[in-house]
Amino acid sequence: MIMFEIPAALKGIPTSWNGHFFGRDGESLGPLKLNEIDLIRGEARNHDWSAEICPEATINDLDKHAIEKARAEYKKKHPDLQSEVDQWDDTVFLNKAKVTIKGNITNAAIILLGKPESEAFLLPSIAKMSWILRNDQNIGQDYEHFGPPFFIKYQPVIW
């Protein structure tokens, strides 16, 4: 009897042994089918960095003005909820707006609503947008860099 253990596959990478991919098939072990290999590889493409939690960030790391503007835009988008939205505290509102998850601050919350210094929670990623400023002949004159909170600096197309 030969026994070996196959560890769980890393996200997006099927585990192989001697050039063959194996997986559980009920109580047994069997070769992975091509569609199963494709599903495992597809896991890496389904990763949503913006929904990741910033474990050390709190609601105090978000800009109050940005939250208020987001709340006003949310009420425009959902006019039937206006009176209800006014009753929600910031944590409930941010959860309902899907910017936080169970009160936990996400990367998206830092980018859209975070105080400028909150960008440090995203390291090694950088939340900066640069604009080339052009004159009336469409020639670049200068540039400007912007950081969080993007929500009060730019009007989103859809909220």
Side-chain angles (χ1 to χ4, degrees):
M1 175 188 286
I2 298 175
M3 290 186 62
F4 59 95
E5 181 178 344
I6 297 178
L10 298 173
K11 195 164 202 85
I13 302 172
T15 303
S16 68
W17 182 73
N18 280 350
H20 300 284
F21 299 102
F22 293 92
R24 292 184 190 358
D25 188 8
E27 294 293 318
S28 302
L29 203 58
L32 287 176
K33 297 176 182 89
L34 286 177
N35 67 324
E36 293 171 322
I37 294 171
D38 287 342
L39 281 173
I40 292 170
R41 287 186 179 144
E43 289 173 352
R45 288 188 299 266
N46 295 333
H47 175 74
D48 183 1
W49 177 85
S50 67
E52 285 182 15
I53 303 296
C54 294
E56 285 132 35
T58 69
I59 198 162
N60 296 326
D61 296 305
L62 302 181
D63 183 286
K64 283 283 189 194
H65 178 64
I67 293 171
E68 286 308 311
K69 180 168 179 164
R71 189 184 290 268
E73 294 298 321
Y74 188 90
K75 288 194 281 189
K76 285 182 195 174
K77 172 93 174 159
H78 304 281
D80 54 317
L81 296 175
Q82 281 191 7
S83 61
E84 195 175 335
V85 172
D86 291 335
Q87 303 304 313
W88 298 337
D89 66 14
D90 287 344
T91 302
V92 171
F93 165 67
L94 294 170
N95 284 336
K96 299 262 188 191
K98 299 181 179 141
V99 180
T100 59
I101 300 171
K102 295 182 179 178
N104 295 304
I105 306 301
T106 62
N107 289 336
I110 295 293
I111 290 170
L112 294 172
L113 307 170
K115 294 176 181 173
E117 60 272 17
S118 299
E119 184 182 353
F121 290 114
L122 304 175
L123 291 174
S125 299
I126 298 170
K128 289 278 187 252
M129 186 180 304
S130 299
W131 288 106
I132 296 174
L133 306 174
R134 299 182 184 275
N135 64 13
D136 56 349
Q137 285 88 33
N138 202 26
I139 298 172
Q141 295 291 332
D142 202 359
Y143 58 89
E144 194 170 345
H145 303 292
F146 301 94
F150 286 136
F151 199 81
I152 59 174
K153 295 177 182 175
Y154 308 100
Q155 184 61 44
V157 177
I158 298 174
W159 175 249

